[in-house]
Structure formats: structure tokens, C-alpha cells
Amino acid sequence: MPMLPFLFALLAPLQNPPAGEVKIFGDWAVACDNIKACEMTSLTPGDGSEDKPGYDAVSFSLSRAAGPAGGFSIEVQMPSTEDGSEVSVRIDGNIITGKIPKDGLIRFTGADAARIVAAMAKGETIQIADIADSLVGLVSLKGSSAALRYIDAGQGRAGTVTAAVAKGAKPASAVPAAVAPPVIRYPRPSGRAVPMPAAMRAALDKETECGEIYAGGEGELPVVETFALGGGKTLALLPCGNGAYNYSTIPYVISGGKASLAPFDRMPEGMGGGDGRPELVNAGFDTKTNALTSYAKGRGIGDCGASEDYVWDGTRFRLIAARAMPDCRGSVNWLTVWQVTALPQ
């Protein structure tokens, strides 16, 4: 199921700063972020197999770190079991490895993960089975080989012995070295938040036309939340409409009795209004870290959408994390397309 159109703007490659993007190959989504760390995750099959039992019971995700020594990590989510017995990972009926799940989750690294990946590249279906050989769930491998090849290319592994699919004779030393995430320093929040005066609220509601959205509604207008940023500045989140599960706000910074649109290094586009104003969805603010979050869901179960985390650096909000999932096909594992290390000053 394709995601709602208004979210496509959120999932386009970020312009400033640049970030990765999510690609869809068959029944898999894959992304490599700004430091070439890559992830891929299974989707409910799009060829009608979603009507067959088992394909909605298991989620299969894989990640690989950049660099010559970057290995695979695999995570399998499944219904929780109570007996503590081992479940097996099988590809086209052949048992690859097994493990006892904890809270419906099993993880593989090292040699076990490498064996699973090698079999995935040539297989058609993953079966997860319990100790009694009863089927726990199924995962389609359609497109998984192309997704692995995308990771090979994105990390510079194509043509080397480290590649999962695009193997070659070049040594591991030919793979580009991993790089550390960029570092952004932020001041710790201080001071007290200034409430938005009623006259200022009325003027901004009129200017943005956000007030008209609530005109004629019952009760009072939604409250403008305010948070201290330090340096005499206050973040104010102006409510600007909502749907069944998405709540929009326009962020302002109040300083010296005046409100101005909050500055960002990457403009948050919210529900794709396209009017040049920053817009957040389901916004939150962490008063301990100066971190501002936006989390937009494509549908209520949360199997598609986009999220962005920003930190206030004293002058503007800087993007420190972004995750996305463009197709509404059962995966709640949104893929990382941007990451930064945020440290207090």
C-alpha cells in the first residue's frame, strides 16, 4: 500500500544537510545513511501473498556497518513464545541457524548472520519455525538480493570479497574506511519559558491561518506549548490542525517580546503544506537535551511515515536524526537516513 501523498515530501532526499533515501526492491526496503551505515527490512508481499497466512507474523531486519570490517546484524521479530524453546531460521526449507527468542525477538551477528545473508541472496522464502516444526511466520525474499546489492554499492564493497552479492577478487582493504558521525554541540536548556501572550497568539493564528482551522469548534483553542531554550529564547509550538493520528504545529522562537519562525538547517515540511514555513507533526521537546522531534505517520498502525530529530545549537535547530518508511506494508522498522552525534557543550 503506498503511503499517503502528503508524506512523500518528508521522504525525499534531505537537501541541507544531505541524507540518504529509502529504496524499495520487491518486498524489501533499504537505506544507507550519511555515514554509509545501511539497513534493510522486510515488507508484507505486494503480489497478493499478503492474503496467505504467515506473512504478517514476522518482521526481518538486517543492518551492516560501513568499512572493511563491517559485519551483518540481523533482528527477527515474531509473536512471543512462553516455553523458551529454540526457533529456527530456514530458507526454502533448509535450516540455517536457530536461537531461543526473548520477548519475541532474536538477534544474529557474526558467522550466523553471514550464513543467513548468503542464503538469502539465493533464496525465495524465509520460514521461521518452532521446535515442533510448526510455522511461526514467513518472509518473502523477493527483492532481497537487489537490496543487498544496493548495500554493496553504497558501502563501496562491490567487486570485493566483503560484498554480499556483487562479489569480486578485490581485498577487504579496498572498501572505504568507516567514518564517524558528524558532531553537533548544544547548550543545556536554561531559564524559564515565556508564555505566548494572547495578542501574539491571535496575530499568528491570523497570519498562518491556523486559527481558521479551529473556527467554530467546541471549547477553547489548543494550548500553545512553550519551552525554554536558554539565552532568553523560548520555543513556542503553535497548533495548526490535526487528523486522526497526526497533529501539526508551527514552531516559533520568542525573544525580546517578538515571535519569529524557528530557524532550521533542514526545513521540516510536516504534512507538505509547501508554504515555506517549518511544520512539525506530533511534535515533542526534551527539556533536558534541547531536542525537538517530529513524527508523522502514514496510517494509524505506524507502518509508514517519517521522523526527524533536531537539537537547538543556540541559534537554530540542527538535524541530528531522520528515519523513514515510504510504503505502508507492515514494517514498523523505519530506516535511518541521517545520524549525528549530539553532545552538550
Side-chain angles (χ1 to χ4, degrees):
M1 175 181 175
M3 201 173 67
L4 297 179
F6 70 76
L7 283 175
F8 280 119
L10 287 172
L11 302 177
L14 306 183
Q15 299 302 314
N16 184 19
E21 60 180 315
V22 178
K23 296 282 191 180
I24 306 297
F25 295 101
D27 299 326
W28 288 79
V30 61
C32 294
D33 64 20
N34 54 303
I35 62 167
K36 305 303 181 184
C38 300
E39 300 176 273
M40 54 187 280
T41 193
S42 62
L43 305 173
T44 302
D47 60 359
S49 299
E50 63 267 32
D51 297 326
K52 299 177 182 178
Y55 282 96
D56 59 352
V58 171
S59 176
F60 201 97
S61 300
L62 177 155
S63 63
R64 190 172 197 182
F72 291 102
S73 295
I74 292 174
E75 184 174 285
V76 185
Q77 292 181 309
M78 67 192 74
S80 295
T81 57
E82 298 181 0
D83 60 3
S85 60
E86 183 174 284
V87 299
S88 60
V89 176
R90 310 179 184 196
I91 295 182
D92 298 340
N94 299 311
I95 297 177
I96 309 301
T97 187
K99 206 168 190 178
I100 298 174
K102 183 178 180 180
D103 298 326
L105 185 68
I106 51 176
R107 293 186 176 92
F108 299 99
T109 58
D112 281 343
R115 282 195 293 271
I116 294 172
V117 170
M120 286 174 60
K122 302 176 182 178
E124 294 184 359
T125 308
I126 297 174
Q127 302 91 22
I128 306 297
D130 63 19
I131 197 168
D133 283 342
S134 297
L135 185 68
V136 176
L138 296 166
V139 176
S140 168
L141 285 173
K142 180 182 178 181
S144 62
S145 180
L148 288 167
R149 187 181 292 274
Y150 181 85
I151 292 176
D152 287 343
Q155 295 184 332
R157 300 182 184 280
T160 75
V161 296
T162 73
V165 176
K167 289 185 176 294
K170 295 179 183 178
S173 58
V175 177
V179 297
V183 175
I184 291 177
R185 299 275 180 177
Y186 64 89
R188 295 187 183 278
S190 61
R192 298 180 62 180
V194 175
M196 180 176 283
M200 181 184 291
R201 168 72 185 272
L204 293 179
D205 273 340
K206 182 177 181 180
E207 176 185 326
T208 60
E209 299 182 353
C210 292
E212 294 183 7
I213 296 173
Y214 304 103
E218 297 181 1
E220 299 180 356
L221 285 171
V223 174
V224 175
E225 293 185 286
T226 59
F227 306 92
L229 294 174
K233 293 180 171 61
T234 293
L235 169 68
L237 300 178
L238 180 71
C240 199
N242 64 274
Y245 39 79
N246 286 319
Y247 298 82
S248 293
T249 56
I250 296 179
Y252 285 86
V253 172
I254 300 175
S255 179
K258 297 181 179 180
S260 57
L261 290 169
F264 289 82
D265 66 349
R266 187 272 178 181
M267 181 74 75
E269 298 179 6
M271 294 188 181
D275 56 10
R277 287 192 296 260
E279 184 180 339
L280 306 170
V281 183
N282 301 322
F285 186 78
D286 189 329
T287 57
K288 295 181 180 179
T289 62
N290 265 343
L292 177 64
T293 61
S294 181
Y295 174 80
K297 296 193 295 184
R299 61 179 183 174
I301 63 174
D303 63 344
C304 51
S307 68
E308 297 160 313
D309 297 348
Y310 297 87
V311 70
W312 177 256
D313 70 357
T315 60
R316 60 178 174 165
F317 284 102
R318 305 277 301 279
L319 183 69
I320 59 172
R323 298 179 66 83
M325 177 53 63
D327 274 18
C328 302
R329 290 170 58 189
S331 177
V332 295
N333 177 29
W334 299 2
L335 303 181
T336 299
V337 294
W338 177 260
Q339 61 170 307
V340 162
T341 299
L343 298 174
Q345 292 178 353

